[in-house]
Structures are given as structure tokens and as C-alpha cells.
Amino acid sequence: MFQFLDTAHHAILTAMLAPALLMTATASLLVSANTRLARVVDRLRSLIVEWAHDAPDREHRDIQINRHRQRAQWVLRACQMLYLGMGSFVGTSLALAGDAFLGFKLGMIPTVLALIGVAFLLGACFAMWREVSLAVGSFDVELDQELARRRA
């Protein structure tokens, strides 16, 4: 009898490892996304300071500010999806433990929670892809402006 309980216990813990690995990956993406958000906010603040001085290239600065605002919104969406994904993976892990405790009566709940978490993770990846694309586009515009200014 104890052998069966020991085997079941290990099977439950093993099943709980997959959501734990996904939580670790999600946490890593969250660190990256939050770092990107901080950089966007810092850049926006510096643009606002420059904007306040009413420089001659104010129109270009307005465009940059709008681009960085868009970037911040995309990073925010990614963070929100990553937090929801993290919650889904935690819920999956708890549902797996609860399902075993209740005699496997929860049916598809752990699987559905895991799928929801993976869907949020996928959505966050698309949001970060969009933000990175905007970042590169913004850099290209700034570089073109600087090269044109130096050539003039």
C-alpha cells in the first residue's frame, strides 16, 4: 500500500514539474519585458525634456514620442499577458495537486489552465515582437535624422 502512495506521490510531483518549468520561462520573459519597459520610459522622459526646450526639430521629436508611447503600450500588453500566463501556470500546478487530492475528479481543468497559460505566453511573444520591431524602426528614423543633420 505504501509503495502505491509513494508512486502516486512521485507521479503528481513529476506532473507538477512542467508548469514549474513554464513558470520559470515566463518569469525570465517578465524580467526582460520589465527591463525593456524601463528603458522605453527612460527614453520617453529624455525626449520630453528635449521637447520642453522647444528644439528646432520638434516635429521629429513628436514622432519619436508617439513611437515610444506605442512601444510602451506593447510592452505593457506583453507584461499583462505574461502575468496572466504565470497565474495560469500556478493554477495548473495547484489544480494538478488538487486533482490528485480529490481522486482525479477535476477532469480537464489542469489541462485547460495549462493551455490558457501557453496561449498567454504566445500572445506575449507576439506583443514583444511588435515592440522590438517598433524599437528598430525608431532607431532607424533617429539614425536617418542624425545623418541628415550631420550632412547638412
Side-chain angles (χ1 to χ4, degrees), residues 81-115:
M81 286 187 266
L82 289 168
Y83 282 118
L84 289 168
M86 179 71 80
S88 295
F89 296 138
V90 170
T92 300
S93 194
L94 290 172
L96 285 166
D99 194 29
F101 182 74
L102 296 172
F104 303 100
K105 295 180 181 177
L106 294 181
M108 294 293 293
I109 291 174
T111 303
V112 169
L113 284 171
L115 289 174

Short mmCIF file of all heavy atoms in Angstrom, two decimals, residues 81-115:
data_model
loop_
_atom_site.label_atom_id
_atom_site.label_comp_id
_atom_site.label_asym_id
_atom_site.label_seq_id
_atom_site.Cartn_x
_atom_site.Cartn_y
_atom_site.Cartn_z
N MET A 81 0.01 39.92 -20.32
CA MET A 81 -0.19 38.53 -20.76
C MET A 81 0.75 37.58 -20.03
O MET A 81 0.36 36.46 -19.70
CB MET A 81 -0.02 38.43 -22.27
CG MET A 81 -1.20 39.00 -23.03
SD MET A 81 -1.09 38.71 -24.80
CE MET A 81 -0.32 40.22 -25.33
N LEU A 82 1.98 38.02 -19.77
CA LEU A 82 2.91 37.16 -19.05
C LEU A 82 2.45 36.93 -17.61
O LEU A 82 2.55 35.82 -17.10
CB LEU A 82 4.32 37.76 -19.07
CG LEU A 82 5.02 37.70 -20.43
CD1 LEU A 82 6.27 38.56 -20.45
CD2 LEU A 82 5.36 36.25 -20.81
N TYR A 83 1.93 37.98 -16.97
CA TYR A 83 1.40 37.79 -15.61
C TYR A 83 0.19 36.86 -15.62
O TYR A 83 0.04 36.00 -14.74
CB TYR A 83 1.04 39.13 -14.97
CG TYR A 83 2.24 39.89 -14.46
CD1 TYR A 83 2.58 41.13 -14.99
CD2 TYR A 83 3.05 39.37 -13.46
CE1 TYR A 83 3.69 41.83 -14.53
CE2 TYR A 83 4.15 40.05 -12.99
CZ TYR A 83 4.46 41.28 -13.53
OH TYR A 83 5.57 41.96 -13.07
N LEU A 84 -0.68 37.00 -16.61
CA LEU A 84 -1.82 36.09 -16.70
C LEU A 84 -1.36 34.66 -16.99
O LEU A 84 -1.91 33.70 -16.45
CB LEU A 84 -2.79 36.58 -17.79
CG LEU A 84 -3.57 37.84 -17.43
CD1 LEU A 84 -4.28 38.41 -18.67
CD2 LEU A 84 -4.57 37.56 -16.32
N GLY A 85 -0.34 34.53 -17.84
CA GLY A 85 0.22 33.21 -18.11
C GLY A 85 0.82 32.61 -16.86
O GLY A 85 0.61 31.43 -16.56
N MET A 86 1.55 33.43 -16.10
CA MET A 86 2.14 32.94 -14.83
C MET A 86 1.04 32.45 -13.90
O MET A 86 1.14 31.37 -13.31
CB MET A 86 2.94 34.06 -14.17
CG MET A 86 3.56 33.67 -12.85
SD MET A 86 4.92 32.51 -13.01
CE MET A 86 6.21 33.64 -13.46
N GLY A 87 -0.02 33.24 -13.78
CA GLY A 87 -1.15 32.82 -12.94
C GLY A 87 -1.78 31.52 -13.42
O GLY A 87 -2.15 30.66 -12.62
N SER A 88 -1.87 31.36 -14.73
CA SER A 88 -2.43 30.12 -15.28
C SER A 88 -1.54 28.92 -14.97
O SER A 88 -2.04 27.84 -14.65
CB SER A 88 -2.61 30.25 -16.79
OG SER A 88 -3.56 31.23 -17.09
N PHE A 89 -0.22 29.12 -15.05
CA PHE A 89 0.69 28.01 -14.75
C PHE A 89 0.67 27.66 -13.26
O PHE A 89 0.73 26.48 -12.90
CB PHE A 89 2.11 28.32 -15.22
CG PHE A 89 2.22 28.47 -16.71
CD1 PHE A 89 2.98 29.48 -17.26
CD2 PHE A 89 1.55 27.61 -17.57
CE1 PHE A 89 3.08 29.63 -18.63
CE2 PHE A 89 1.63 27.75 -18.94
CZ PHE A 89 2.40 28.77 -19.48
N VAL A 90 0.57 28.67 -12.41
CA VAL A 90 0.43 28.40 -10.97
C VAL A 90 -0.88 27.66 -10.73
O VAL A 90 -0.93 26.67 -9.98
CB VAL A 90 0.49 29.72 -10.15
CG1 VAL A 90 0.10 29.48 -8.70
CG2 VAL A 90 1.88 30.32 -10.23
N GLY A 91 -1.95 28.13 -11.39
CA GLY A 91 -3.24 27.44 -11.28
C GLY A 91 -3.18 26.01 -11.77
O GLY A 91 -3.79 25.11 -11.17
N THR A 92 -2.42 25.78 -12.83
CA THR A 92 -2.25 24.41 -13.35
C THR A 92 -1.60 23.53 -12.31
O THR A 92 -2.06 22.40 -12.05
CB THR A 92 -1.38 24.42 -14.63
OG1 THR A 92 -2.02 25.22 -15.61
CG2 THR A 92 -1.17 23.02 -15.16
N SER A 93 -0.54 24.04 -11.72
CA SER A 93 0.18 23.27 -10.71
C SER A 93 -0.72 22.95 -9.51
O SER A 93 -0.77 21.82 -9.03
CB SER A 93 1.41 24.05 -10.27
OG SER A 93 2.29 23.24 -9.56
N LEU A 94 -1.44 23.96 -9.05
CA LEU A 94 -2.36 23.74 -7.93
C LEU A 94 -3.50 22.79 -8.31
O LEU A 94 -3.92 21.96 -7.51
CB LEU A 94 -2.93 25.07 -7.44
CG LEU A 94 -1.95 25.99 -6.72
CD1 LEU A 94 -2.59 27.35 -6.45
CD2 LEU A 94 -1.48 25.35 -5.42
N ALA A 95 -4.00 22.93 -9.54
CA ALA A 95 -5.07 22.05 -10.00
C ALA A 95 -4.60 20.60 -10.08
O ALA A 95 -5.36 19.67 -9.74
CB ALA A 95 -5.61 22.51 -11.35
N LEU A 96 -3.35 20.39 -10.50
CA LEU A 96 -2.82 19.02 -10.55
C LEU A 96 -2.75 18.41 -9.15
O LEU A 96 -3.13 17.25 -8.95
CB LEU A 96 -1.43 19.01 -11.19
CG LEU A 96 -1.40 19.19 -12.70
CD1 LEU A 96 0.01 19.52 -13.18
CD2 LEU A 96 -1.93 17.95 -13.39
N ALA A 97 -2.27 19.21 -8.19
CA ALA A 97 -2.20 18.71 -6.82
C ALA A 97 -3.60 18.48 -6.26
O ALA A 97 -3.88 17.44 -5.63
CB ALA A 97 -1.43 19.69 -5.94
N GLY A 98 -4.49 19.44 -6.49
CA GLY A 98 -5.87 19.30 -6.01
C GLY A 98 -6.59 18.14 -6.66
O GLY A 98 -7.36 17.44 -6.00
N ASP A 99 -6.34 17.93 -7.93
CA ASP A 99 -6.96 16.81 -8.65
C ASP A 99 -6.55 15.48 -8.04
O ASP A 99 -7.39 14.60 -7.82
CB ASP A 99 -6.55 16.87 -10.13
CG ASP A 99 -7.41 15.98 -11.01
OD1 ASP A 99 -8.59 15.76 -10.67
OD2 ASP A 99 -6.90 15.53 -12.05
N ALA A 100 -5.27 15.34 -7.73
CA ALA A 100 -4.80 14.10 -7.09
C ALA A 100 -5.42 13.95 -5.70
O ALA A 100 -5.84 12.86 -5.31
CB ALA A 100 -3.28 14.10 -6.99
N PHE A 101 -5.48 15.04 -4.96
CA PHE A 101 -6.05 15.02 -3.61
C PHE A 101 -7.53 14.65 -3.64
O PHE A 101 -8.02 13.94 -2.76
CB PHE A 101 -5.85 16.38 -2.94
CG PHE A 101 -6.36 16.45 -1.54
CD1 PHE A 101 -5.67 15.83 -0.51
CD2 PHE A 101 -7.53 17.15 -1.24
CE1 PHE A 101 -6.13 15.90 0.80
CE2 PHE A 101 -7.99 17.21 0.06
CZ PHE A 101 -7.29 16.58 1.09
N LEU A 102 -8.25 15.10 -4.67
CA LEU A 102 -9.69 14.83 -4.78
C LEU A 102 -10.01 13.53 -5.52
O LEU A 102 -11.17 13.25 -5.80
CB LEU A 102 -10.38 16.00 -5.49
CG LEU A 102 -10.34 17.33 -4.75
CD1 LEU A 102 -10.87 18.45 -5.65
CD2 LEU A 102 -11.11 17.25 -3.45
N GLY A 103 -9.00 12.76 -5.83
CA GLY A 103 -9.24 11.49 -6.51
C GLY A 103 -9.45 11.66 -8.01
O GLY A 103 -10.23 10.92 -8.60
N PHE A 104 -8.79 12.60 -8.60
CA PHE A 104 -8.82 12.83 -10.04
C PHE A 104 -10.23 13.10 -10.55
O PHE A 104 -10.70 12.49 -11.49
CB PHE A 104 -8.15 11.68 -10.80
CG PHE A 104 -6.74 11.45 -10.34
CD1 PHE A 104 -6.43 10.43 -9.44
CD2 PHE A 104 -5.73 12.28 -10.76
CE1 PHE A 104 -5.14 10.25 -8.99
CE2 PHE A 104 -4.42 12.10 -10.31
CZ PHE A 104 -4.12 11.08 -9.43
N LYS A 105 -10.89 14.06 -9.90
CA LYS A 105 -12.25 14.43 -10.28
C LYS A 105 -12.34 15.77 -11.01
O LYS A 105 -13.42 16.21 -11.37
CB LYS A 105 -13.14 14.48 -9.02
CG LYS A 105 -13.30 13.13 -8.38
CD LYS A 105 -14.17 13.20 -7.16
CE LYS A 105 -14.27 11.81 -6.53
NZ LYS A 105 -15.04 11.81 -5.32
N LEU A 106 -11.21 16.45 -11.21
CA LEU A 106 -11.25 17.76 -11.84
C LEU A 106 -11.25 17.69 -13.37
O LEU A 106 -11.42 18.70 -14.04
CB LEU A 106 -10.07 18.62 -11.37
CG LEU A 106 -10.07 19.01 -9.90
CD1 LEU A 106 -8.86 19.88 -9.58
CD2 LEU A 106 -11.36 19.72 -9.52
N GLY A 107 -11.07 16.51 -13.90
CA GLY A 107 -11.14 16.34 -15.35
C GLY A 107 -10.10 17.15 -16.10
O GLY A 107 -8.92 17.07 -15.84
N MET A 108 -10.58 17.99 -17.00
CA MET A 108 -9.71 18.74 -17.91
C MET A 108 -9.23 20.08 -17.34
O MET A 108 -8.49 20.80 -18.02
CB MET A 108 -10.47 19.01 -19.23
CG MET A 108 -10.79 17.76 -20.02
SD MET A 108 -9.32 16.96 -20.65
CE MET A 108 -8.75 18.16 -21.82
N ILE A 109 -9.60 20.43 -16.13
CA ILE A 109 -9.25 21.74 -15.58
C ILE A 109 -7.75 22.01 -15.61
O ILE A 109 -7.32 23.07 -16.10
CB ILE A 109 -9.85 21.94 -14.17
CG1 ILE A 109 -11.37 22.05 -14.27
CG2 ILE A 109 -9.27 23.16 -13.49
CD1 ILE A 109 -12.09 22.10 -12.95
N PRO A 110 -6.89 21.08 -15.14
CA PRO A 110 -5.45 21.37 -15.21
C PRO A 110 -4.94 21.58 -16.64
O PRO A 110 -4.14 22.48 -16.90
CB PRO A 110 -4.79 20.13 -14.58
CG PRO A 110 -5.86 19.52 -13.73
CD PRO A 110 -7.15 19.81 -14.44
N THR A 111 -5.45 20.79 -17.56
CA THR A 111 -5.03 20.90 -18.96
C THR A 111 -5.49 22.22 -19.57
O THR A 111 -4.73 22.89 -20.26
CB THR A 111 -5.57 19.71 -19.79
OG1 THR A 111 -5.13 18.50 -19.19
CG2 THR A 111 -5.11 19.78 -21.23
N VAL A 112 -6.72 22.60 -19.28
CA VAL A 112 -7.24 23.86 -19.81
C VAL A 112 -6.45 25.04 -19.25
O VAL A 112 -6.10 25.97 -19.98
CB VAL A 112 -8.76 23.99 -19.49
CG1 VAL A 112 -9.26 25.40 -19.79
CG2 VAL A 112 -9.55 22.96 -20.28
N LEU A 113 -6.14 25.00 -17.96
CA LEU A 113 -5.33 26.07 -17.36
C LEU A 113 -3.96 26.16 -18.02
O LEU A 113 -3.45 27.25 -18.28
CB LEU A 113 -5.19 25.87 -15.86
CG LEU A 113 -6.40 26.23 -15.02
CD1 LEU A 113 -6.21 25.78 -13.57
CD2 LEU A 113 -6.68 27.72 -15.07
N ALA A 114 -3.36 25.01 -18.29
CA ALA A 114 -2.05 25.00 -18.95
C ALA A 114 -2.15 25.57 -20.36
O ALA A 114 -1.29 26.36 -20.78
CB ALA A 114 -1.49 23.58 -18.99
N LEU A 115 -3.18 25.20 -21.08
CA LEU A 115 -3.37 25.73 -22.44
C LEU A 115 -3.59 27.24 -22.43
O LEU A 115 -3.08 27.96 -23.29
CB LEU A 115 -4.53 25.02 -23.14
CG LEU A 115 -4.28 23.57 -23.54
CD1 LEU A 115 -5.55 22.93 -24.07
CD2 LEU A 115 -3.17 23.49 -24.56
#
